[in-house]
Amino acid sequence: MILTRKMLLICILYSFIVPPISASVFDFDEEGFLVETLWRKVEMFPKEKKPKVALVLGGARGFSHVGVFRVLQEEQIPINFVVGTSVGSIVGAFYCAGIPLEKLENLAKNVHWNDISNFNYPSLISILLNEKLLSNEKLEKFVSKHIGEINFNQLQTSLFCIATDLNTGERVLFREGNVSFAVRASATIPGIFKPVAYR
């Protein structure tokens, strides 16, 4: 009993006097270990059994999604397809067409309303006084200028652009045909821009 107390006292003193050589077992990163282990298992799946990763983009701050692309790229997480609506379809189209993230970030920082629409003070007054909607035809040209006149089947990563049919209120899913046109249709804000005829 006395020997056990002496050993315990020595161990306690030793732990205070001698600095730890390596990290304590209590510093074990359980979450990191699980993620790393599970990810290795996923990587070893046959191609047809690997889970698919989809990125869904949209909203007024859609260009902030460029940061999500960067993190996924840095972590080497493959993106199998992108679903975009509004600004998310613009960002998604650029990414899926293979535009480098650096260029995409630069575009996001430097794009202005007059690059993608006829939005300006006189046109805003025109909306209020004449109820004349704006045009976002420039957006289609802007996208084509950067990715080319390509169709969905020519993209490096699968893209789906979501819009709404104003007559029926139903969702419209663009996944074939001209990408720039689909992006324009998806990014047309009702009540601000003229609707785009798609049929």
Side-chain angles (χ1 to χ4, degrees), residues 82-142:
V82 175
V83 180
T85 187
S86 190
V87 179
S89 66
I90 302 170
V91 176
F94 287 143
Y95 175 82
C96 293
I99 301 293
L101 289 179
E102 293 75 24
K103 183 176 179 183
L104 189 47
E105 286 172 341
N106 193 40
L107 282 171
K109 289 176 190 171
N110 296 309
V111 69
H112 302 288
W113 276 107
N114 60 351
D115 295 326
I116 58 173
S117 71
N118 66 339
F119 183 81
N120 53 36
Y121 288 116
S123 63
L124 190 59
I125 292 170
S126 178
I127 287 178
L128 298 173
L129 297 178
N130 305 327
E131 296 182 7
K132 184 179 176 186
L133 297 175
L134 302 176
S135 169
N136 67 346
E137 191 176 338
K138 280 182 167 181
L139 173 61
E140 189 173 342
K141 293 175 182 172
F142 177 80

Side-chain angles (χ1 to χ4, degrees), residues 39-54:
W39 187 247
R40 275 197 214 111
K41 284 186 176 183
V42 168
E43 286 180 325
M44 293 189 310
F45 283 170
K47 190 174 183 179
E48 63 276 359
K49 288 193 175 184
K50 278 190 180 177
K52 303 293 182 204
V53 178

Side-chain angles (χ1 to χ4, degrees), residues 12-29:
I12 291 172
L13 287 172
Y14 181 78
S15 67
F16 284 109
I17 297 170
V18 179
I21 297 170
S22 62
S24 165
V25 292
F26 300 109
D27 293 339
F28 179 68
D29 182 10

Side-chain angles (χ1 to χ4, degrees), residues 1-16:
M1 187 74 152
I2 296 173
L3 185 62
T4 309
R5 283 187 185 165
K6 284 184 180 178
M7 288 299 289
L8 182 61
L9 185 60
I10 291 171
C11 288
I12 291 172
L13 287 172
Y14 181 78
S15 67
F16 284 109

